[in-house]
Amino acid sequence: MDKQLQRDLTKWLKSQSKLAKRWLMLSVGLGFISGLLLIGQAALLAHILHQLIIEHTDKSELVAHFIGLTAVVGLRAACSWGREVFGYRCGEQIRLHIRQLIMQRLHNLGPAYIKGKPAGAWASLVLEQVEEMQDFFSRYIPQMSIAVLVPFTILVVVFPLNWAAGLIFLITAPLVPLFMALVGLGAADANRRNFKALQRLSGHFFDRLQGLSTLRLFNRAEAEAENLHAASDVLRKRTMEVLRLAFLSSAVLEFFSAISVAMVAVYFGFTFIGELNFGTYGVPLSLFTGLFVLILAPEFYQPLRDLGTFYHAKAQAIGAAESIVEFLNAEADEMKQGTENLPSPETIEIEANALEVLSPEGQVLAGPLTFTIKPNEHIALVGPSGAGKTSLLNAILGFLPYRGSLKVNGIELKSLEHSQWRQAISWVGQNPMLVHGTVRDNITLGNPLATDEHVRQVTQQAYADEFINRLELGDQHIVGDRSGGLSVGQAQRIAVARAMLQNGAFWLLDEPTASLDANSERLVLDSLSIAVRGQTTLMVSHRLDQLSMMDRVFVMDNGQLVQDGHFDTIREQGLLAEMLANKDMRDLDA
């Protein structure tokens, strides 16, 4: 990874820590207090041993010191517990904020952008990668301050007692962070590669799991299993690479810390036997001083060692942040929205003038388009695959950005508050999306406060009651993920009932009968014909024999609106005539 990129990502991560400044300060404060208590503990312990060994003081005279030592140990334990709690709260608050940033960005980009990546990749981004930042904020960031404050305080205490020991501390202390940085140079790259491998595996696995039946029907299950095995093996190698660096970093830090403590111990050992005679300011070295400094020696390096231990958390966070920052800063147009309310939501009129529908990356998907859908008018939208029909629907729904003008009841769509606009839409797609829950939960998805009577009414109108009544639990029947436990026709009728309960003034139908059998198609069409009566309707349809029932027909091709008029007027010319001729030929062949 480029060093400048690492610095930018580190700067971004640290800027996020400002959001939990209170928890961060509490964690650092308790760490510093724990360091002060550590000095007091070392002083008490050295004093007790000095009194017992050198002064031959009776143990009964040192009871207060023993009680004080016990109290200090208890207070240090309490500080350590508090540090963990406050550190966790710090990380938790920042992780929640980062997740909100991601979810808000996803919300602004809309479903059209989200579908561009496997669902597993998004799950990895929102869950695993954000979670990997916890230790960075809860431990590494507070430890950076503690690793400076505590050793500095120990130096201030040690230098007046023995300048030689203080000088050893001062010279050897920079070695720990120096070698920590050298070992950790490749850690961020290793973590970045690990997260990329995890994203690929997550997306690959989720997609294959969804299409398992198709893979088995085409005898591709074993081949895809091999692909999954290969992807998981790549992840295993990347993970082991990260672990190797983490263990190497810990081993190097322990080695240099042990060498430094040994140097202090050797110095005091030779001083006690009279081989060395410096560092004591001309005063004989006492057992108290020697024990006090030796007890503090490993604790002097401990904050630096802890910082080294948590250094891999920084590498993990940088590796995770790369994809997150890249996504948050991606050059993708968001569908702008305003705050204006929809005037006269009981009737809907849509006007498009030189409308160009854009992808989030700025590519023109359809247009320029100019048309008007009048209040209570029923419009059929037809065209070959790739003509731009779905792109137009996504623009009307507010899921894709656009250039030009797209007005709803005279107000530009960009100026409308989208949640209110969507409340005015009753939507039925070709692949009904049912959430995990009861049948009733899915019917009342857009209107959870609906009464039992209202729910019963829409289920009857959508002909959904005929199979709901046969279910053992009725509308309390549990629906699994991806409409599990229901047929496509049953799920579609629930979707129609849901749209009826929404009671929108604008009905948007995207081939609502594309996947249905003849009986289900008839029932769905009958219920829809009743529901859309007197409402503005735009329906994408593959059933050309139903176009005569619509007020007008829009024909699209290559992103352009090539025909617009009543079915009887345009049926014998242009693209619609070709589509009808091809349909007639297929019917004859059948």
Side-chain angles (χ1 to χ4, degrees):
M1 184 186 296
D2 180 70
K3 290 184 179 180
Q4 182 59 44
L5 178 58
Q6 284 198 40
R7 284 193 289 268
D8 292 341
L9 292 175
T10 303
K11 184 178 179 181
W12 181 84
L13 286 167
K14 289 181 178 178
S15 69
Q16 304 305 308
S17 66
K18 297 177 182 177
L19 301 168
K21 190 175 182 179
R22 180 184 60 167
W23 298 115
L24 189 60
M25 295 301 294
L26 286 171
S27 179
V28 173
L30 285 179
F32 181 62
I33 292 172
S34 179
L36 295 178
L37 291 171
L38 169 66
I39 296 173
Q41 177 183 325
L44 282 170
L45 188 57
H47 178 73
I48 290 171
L49 292 174
H50 178 82
Q51 291 296 317
L52 291 174
I53 297 171
I54 304 299
E55 303 296 336
H56 303 289
T57 305
D58 189 81
K59 296 183 181 66
S60 60
E61 297 179 18
L62 299 173
V63 171
H65 294 82
F66 282 111
I67 293 174
L69 183 61
T70 304
V72 168
V73 171
L75 288 172
R76 286 195 64 205
C79 288
S80 297
W81 175 80
R83 274 191 64 195
E84 287 294 321
V85 172
F86 295 142
Y88 178 81
R89 293 300 180 194
C90 173
E92 180 185 45
Q93 186 171 337
I94 297 170
R95 284 186 293 115
L96 286 173
H97 173 71
I98 293 174
R99 282 201 175 100
Q100 288 173 353
L101 290 178
I102 296 173
M103 298 305 294
Q104 184 61 44
R105 177 70 165 158
L106 287 171
H107 178 268
N108 292 339
L109 291 173
Y113 182 88
I114 295 173
K115 288 181 180 179
K117 282 188 178 182
W122 294 121
S124 175
L125 185 73
V126 176
L127 297 176
E128 285 93 344
Q129 292 188 227
V130 175
E131 201 66 30
E132 290 294 341
M133 296 181 176
Q134 171 67 24
D135 282 350
F136 176 80
F137 294 113
S138 65
R139 296 184 174 179
Y140 181 78
I141 292 291
Q143 193 63 34
M144 286 181 66
S145 299
I146 294 170
V148 174
L149 293 174
V150 173
F152 177 77
T153 304
I154 292 176
L155 282 175
V156 170
V157 172
V158 169
F159 258 109
L161 296 175
N162 190 287
W163 63 263
L167 192 62
I168 294 174
F169 287 163
L170 190 61
I171 293 174
T172 56
L175 293 177
V176 177
L178 174 63
F179 282 94
M180 175 182 70
L182 290 175
V183 172
L185 283 177
D189 274 338
N191 278 280
R192 178 179 57 84
R193 290 192 293 269
N194 187 48
F195 284 122
K196 293 291 185 183
L198 179 60
Q199 278 191 345
R200 284 194 296 270
L201 179 61
S202 298
H204 193 81
F205 177 73
F206 189 78
D207 287 349
R208 273 40 179 192
L209 190 63
Q210 287 184 313
L212 186 59
S213 57
T214 303
L215 294 174
R216 297 194 65 164
L217 286 171
F218 285 92
N219 199 29
R220 289 289 302 173
E222 291 185 4
E224 289 302 327
E226 288 296 324
N227 291 337
L228 280 173
H229 182 269
S232 63
D233 191 57
V234 170
L235 178 62
R236 178 187 62 80
K237 292 178 180 178
R238 297 286 182 261
T239 303
M240 294 306 297
E241 184 181 2
V242 172
L243 290 175
R244 268 198 311 272
L245 285 170
F247 287 134
L248 178 61
S249 175
S250 298
V252 169
L253 296 180
E254 291 294 334
F255 173 76
F256 282 100
S257 297
I259 291 294
S260 302
V261 172
M263 288 175 63
V264 176
V266 168
Y267 161 75
F268 278 113
F270 278 99
T271 302
F272 276 124
I273 64 175
E275 295 295 328
L276 297 177
N277 188 24
F278 62 88
T280 60
Y281 301 105
V283 179
L285 183 65
S286 67
L287 181 63
F288 169 81
T289 302
L291 287 174
F292 179 60
V293 175
L294 281 173
I295 292 171
L296 287 180
E299 303 299 338
F300 175 83
Y301 298 102
Q302 189 60 47
L304 298 171
R305 290 160 61 191
D306 289 341
L307 183 64
T309 302
F310 300 145
Y311 189 78
H312 74 278
K314 176 187 177 183
Q316 279 184 324
I318 291 175
E322 183 185 24
S323 297
I324 294 173
V325 173
E326 181 182 341
F327 166 66
L328 294 176
N329 296 334
E331 293 185 1
D333 291 334
E334 299 179 0
M335 181 57 200
K336 305 278 191 305
Q337 65 169 315
T339 57
E340 292 191 41
N341 291 326
L342 182 67
S344 303
E346 298 81 12
T347 58
I348 298 297
E349 180 180 22
I350 297 178
E351 301 174 80
N353 184 26
L355 171 67
E356 289 186 331
V357 182
L358 308 176
S359 71
E361 293 76 22
Q363 179 184 358
V364 177
L365 301 177
L369 304 170
T370 300
F371 61 83
T372 300
I373 302 177
K374 299 175 182 177
N376 306 327
E377 191 173 25
H378 292 180
I379 304 294
L381 180 61
V382 299
S385 297
K389 305 186 296 295
T390 301
S391 298
L392 176 58
L393 296 190
N394 280 326
I396 293 174
L397 288 168
F399 293 152
L400 281 177
Y402 66 86
R403 288 197 295 258
S405 176
L406 180 59
K407 294 182 178 181
V408 180
N409 288 0
I411 303 296
E412 195 66 42
L413 182 58
K414 294 177 182 178
S415 302
L416 286 175
E417 208 282 312
H418 283 181
S419 61
Q420 197 226 4
W421 159 231
R422 289 169 190 146
Q423 280 293 114
I425 299 174
S426 285
W427 159 267
V428 181
Q430 55 183 300
N431 297 309
M433 194 282 181
L434 301 186
V435 299
H436 184 80
T438 64
V439 170
R440 179 187 171 85
D441 291 338
N442 280 276
I443 293 175
T444 60
L445 188 64
N447 189 3
L449 301 179
T451 64
D452 292 341
E453 181 59 33
H454 202 178
V455 172
R456 191 178 303 111
Q457 180 182 349
V458 296
T459 54
Q460 290 174 351
Q461 292 175 348
Y463 299 100
D465 60 326
E466 69 168 25
F467 72 85
I468 291 176
N469 293 334
R470 294 198 303 267
L471 298 173
E472 184 177 351
L473 299 177
D475 65 1
Q476 296 303 309
H477 175 79
I478 298 297
V479 179
D481 294 329
R482 298 174 61 84
S483 308
L486 297 176
S487 69
V488 177
Q490 291 171 338
Q492 192 68 300
R493 277 180 268 175
I494 289 177
V496 173
R498 179 169 61 196
M500 289 178 173
L501 197 64
Q502 180 87 351
N503 195 29
F506 179 51
W507 280 72
L508 202 53
L509 312 174
D510 185 9
E511 300 196 21
T513 63
S515 303
L516 303 182
D517 58 78
N519 181 58
S520 296
E521 181 181 32
R522 178 182 58 80
L523 293 175
V524 169
L525 287 176
D526 288 347
S527 59
L528 285 174
S529 64
I530 298 172
V532 302
R533 193 173 297 161
Q535 305 287 1
T536 307
T537 305
L538 178 61
M539 180 175 73
V540 177
S541 178
H542 68 289
R543 292 294 304 271
L544 301 180
D545 54 343
Q546 298 171 354
L547 301 184
S548 59
M549 297 182 291
M550 309 299 286
D551 296 326
R552 276 191 298 157
V553 178
F554 289 171
V555 184
M556 289 190 68
D557 187 29
N558 292 325
Q560 303 293 319
L561 185 60
V562 295
Q563 288 181 276
D564 174 7
H566 191 273
F567 176 72
D568 293 334
T569 305
I570 63 175
R571 62 179 299 177
E572 296 182 355
Q573 55 187 331
L575 180 59
L576 183 58
E578 294 180 20
M579 294 171 65
L580 289 169
N582 291 334
K583 176 185 178 300
D584 291 339
M585 290 298 296
R586 287 196 298 271
D587 291 342
L588 288 174
D589 292 340

